[in-house]
Amino acid sequence: MLHVLRPPLWQRMLLPAGLGTLSAVLIAVGVRRGGWALPLSLVAVAAALVGAARGWVLRIEAGPQRLVLVNWLRVVAVRWAEVARCGCDDDGVWVRRVDGSEVRASAFQHGSRALRFARKPAVAAAAELERIRRRRR
């Protein structure tokens, strides 16, 4: 059975909302100033929209054979036999391989200064991944 872990909707909406607001401001400034500012603002808006779209698809897929982390720039697939442990620290969810290397899940990053309510989804996701890992052994 495939388990898909995503951050809560409110966390997934923060980045697109912020980038959408930034895009509106950039377009308004570009239109108002004209000249070189308009094409530059349109390029910045395109980059912001790509970032927002990519942020929406961040997730962790725990399948029967492997764990797939869909991150910002790459997708990392790790077979369950290679996973030593899953956990969470001040920066978010991590997956430790048996060789000692770690892979971070971009979907559940929160930073060391995040408030407790912002860390809860990452802690819950790490606990769920660890529970699934133990069942696979």
Side-chain angles (χ1 to χ4, degrees):
M1 182 175 172
L2 180 68
H3 295 285
V4 179
L5 303 171
R6 294 179 192 269
L9 184 60
W10 68 268
Q11 282 185 340
R12 286 188 287 158
M13 289 303 296
L14 283 177
L15 181 66
L19 290 176
T21 303
L22 176 65
S23 298
V25 169
L26 287 173
I27 288 175
V29 168
V31 168
R32 185 168 186 201
R33 290 195 177 244
W36 59 270
L38 182 59
L40 185 62
S41 68
L42 292 176
V43 168
V45 166
L49 293 177
V50 167
R54 187 64 187 163
W56 190 255
V57 299
L58 297 176
R59 66 187 178 278
I60 300 172
E61 297 175 356
Q65 304 297 322
R66 63 187 178 162
L67 184 63
V68 178
L69 295 103
V70 180
N71 289 335
W72 286 104
L73 299 177
R74 65 186 181 138
V75 176
V76 180
V78 183
R79 291 183 309 124
W80 282 110
E82 297 173 15
V83 177
R85 189 156 181 244
C86 302
C88 183
D89 60 15
D90 283 345
D91 293 325
V93 174
W94 48 264
V95 175
R96 185 171 298 133
R97 295 179 177 154
V98 292
D99 66 2
S101 64
E102 284 186 2
V103 179
R104 294 281 174 167
S106 297
F108 292 97
Q109 291 179 343
H110 49 67
S112 60
R113 297 183 191 267
L115 298 174
R116 185 176 300 174
F117 76 91
R119 292 178 185 214
K120 280 185 179 181
V123 172
E128 178 69 11
L129 287 174
E130 186 63 14
R131 185 185 64 75
I132 293 169
R133 182 194 68 83
R134 286 183 181 153
R135 246 189 10 220
R136 301 264 180 239
R137 297 257 170 196

